[in-house]
Amino acid sequence: MTSPDPQSPGPEPTKPSGPATPQYQDRIYRSPAGLVGGVLLLAIIGWLGIDAVVAGEGRTPWFALATMLLLVPLVFAYSLRPAVYVNDDRLRVRNPFRVIVLPWGKVASLRSGFSNEVIDENGTKYQLWALPVSLRARGKAARHEARAAAAAARAEKGEGAGRGGRGGGRGLIPGAPPEAPKKAEGDRAMAEMRELHEQRQGVDTAQGEVTVRWAYEIAGPAVAGAVLLAVLLAVG
């Protein structure tokens, strides 16, 4: 998950500064695993499809073109396209086939369960495709936090100074600050957005209407590919 440098240059002397003035540029959250998987799938589809178009006989090139026209937009939509853009005024969610813009004043809550979701004040739920939930990552973070808590407990009893080895001295020195709890990437991103939501939901510049735009540029080619493939299968 990537989040570019959130700090933007400070406000100019001639511009008012305060709670209504955005302090951050857009922070972008994406899934690195989705990006890598999408690139690999597109490379495989392109390699096999182009080979079939060039070397295929009869209707094989047409089948290859129809299949690529169907699969390429879908792979792009579900792997490379999803992203969440966050700034002081609004949350912009780019899902496979929709772009949802939610001003912070219209956000009721951000919920994490088996998926990460944002809920508006009308109760409508929008899934954050760019922030998939990893139960494995959550379990790893929970084990890390349990080990850190155990190390802190041993340090309070004075056992860390005598052993000094299992934790490498980190977090076992009496009086040392405890190690910060480790969270899964998706949970950390959700925590950052909840904090920003609490700070900005009442600000005037963070008000407005929720807008939803369908990505016809993605759905159109996929539908055309499906129709062409169905026609080829029907006449074949």
Side-chain angles (χ1 to χ4, degrees):
M1 185 154 336
T2 60
S3 55
D5 188 4
Q7 281 290 0
S8 62
E12 298 177 4
T14 57
K15 295 182 180 180
S17 61
T21 303
Q23 300 174 355
Y24 299 101
Q25 296 176 345
D26 278 6
R27 282 169 284 180
I28 306 174
Y29 298 99
R30 308 186 77 170
S31 171
L35 294 174
V36 173
V39 170
L40 291 177
L41 283 175
L42 288 175
I44 293 172
I45 293 171
W47 173 41
L48 296 177
I50 293 174
D51 181 69
V53 170
V54 174
E57 298 179 357
R59 281 183 300 184
T60 299
W62 289 104
F63 276 108
L65 287 173
T67 302
M68 285 194 296
L69 190 59
L70 171 64
L71 293 182
V72 168
L74 294 179
V75 171
F76 177 82
Y78 283 99
S79 60
L80 303 183
R81 176 178 167 82
V84 177
Y85 298 84
V86 179
N87 65 21
D88 277 1
D89 293 335
R90 52 103 179 103
L91 174 70
R92 183 161 65 96
V93 181
R94 193 171 70 184
N95 280 343
F97 297 104
R98 294 190 300 178
V99 176
I100 306 103
V101 179
L102 301 104
W104 287 121
K106 294 293 183 179
V107 174
S109 64
L110 291 135
R111 187 171 64 185
S112 297
F114 291 104
S115 64
N116 290 316
E117 300 171 335
V118 56
I119 304 173
D120 67 15
E121 62 180 7
N122 295 323
T124 306
K125 293 183 289 187
Y126 304 98
Q127 186 174 349
L128 305 180
W129 281 81
L131 298 175
V133 171
S134 172
L135 298 180
R136 180 175 178 271
R138 281 184 177 176
K140 183 178 180 181
R143 290 192 297 271
H144 180 277
E145 189 172 351
R147 286 195 298 267
R154 288 197 300 269
E156 290 179 358
K157 295 179 181 179
E159 296 177 9
R163 295 182 184 179
R166 181 172 294 186
R170 183 176 58 181
L172 298 180
I173 301 175
E179 188 175 358
K182 185 176 181 180
K183 292 184 177 180
E185 290 290 335
D187 292 339
R188 182 159 56 242
M190 293 295 288
E192 292 174 358
M193 287 189 286
R194 288 191 190 100
E195 181 180 358
L196 189 57
H197 171 235
E198 292 176 0
Q199 295 174 356
R200 303 291 299 178
Q201 60 181 333
V203 178
D204 292 340
T205 57
Q207 309 305 313
E209 296 299 324
V210 177
T211 61
V212 178
R213 183 183 69 83
W214 288 91
Y216 295 107
E217 68 276 10
I218 300 293
V223 171
V227 171
L228 179 59
L229 190 59
V231 171
L232 291 173
L233 291 173
V235 300

